[in-house]
Amino acid sequence: MSAEETLLASAQARAQAWTDLRAELVGLKDDLAARPLGQRLRDRLVDEMADAIDGAGTVVKDTAPALIATLVLLAVWTLRDPLQELGQWLWRKRPAGWFGQPEKRKWGRKSGGLW
């Protein structure tokens, strides 16, 4: 191949590349006219958010027991004073009996006690 043929082949390749580039640009302009950049960004953002929510749902499903235990412990820690007061109130209000409040006993000779 001579230098002139090589030069002509390079010029034809360059002309073809310019034609292909112009066709790509026309296609891109038509595509942007059909769906503007703002709408493309909005659609992509919605898709990414949907993927993130799905991923978060998967994480929550996989770690549900640990998450529930953590939330319960945080609630108990936050409400520890009211819960302690409720427990003391319930302890004071328990009924008399075997596991309840001790029965009132009198010790001494008249009551039949030890002395």
Side-chain angles (χ1 to χ4, degrees):
M1 198 178 224
S2 69
E4 187 177 326
E5 290 172 349
T6 305
L7 189 59
L8 283 174
S10 296
Q12 287 176 350
R14 187 171 43 248
Q16 184 63 39
W18 273 110
T19 304
D20 292 344
L21 180 64
R22 286 186 185 124
E24 284 290 325
L25 287 175
V26 167
L28 183 61
K29 285 180 183 178
D30 290 343
D31 197 28
L32 282 174
R35 215 172 91 195
L37 186 61
Q39 184 179 2
R40 289 172 188 270
L41 290 174
R42 190 176 327 116
D43 292 344
R44 174 120 187 232
L45 180 64
V46 167
D47 290 342
E48 292 291 328
M49 286 177 55
D51 291 343
I53 289 171
D54 289 342
T58 303
V59 168
V60 167
K61 271 194 260 179
D62 293 344
T63 59
L67 184 63
I68 291 170
T70 303
L71 292 175
V72 167
L73 287 173
L74 283 172
V76 168
W77 177 257
T78 303
L79 300 172
R80 65 187 181 273
D81 289 337
L83 289 174
Q84 186 178 16
E85 289 175 12
L86 176 65
Q88 289 173 352
W89 180 80
L90 289 173
W91 184 256
R92 286 189 305 266
K93 297 293 183 180
R94 70 187 189 279
W98 184 256
F99 290 108
Q101 294 178 352
E103 296 176 9
K104 305 272 190 234
R105 295 187 181 159
K106 296 180 182 175
W107 296 94
R109 285 184 183 228
K110 293 182 181 175
S111 64
L114 295 176
W115 296 277

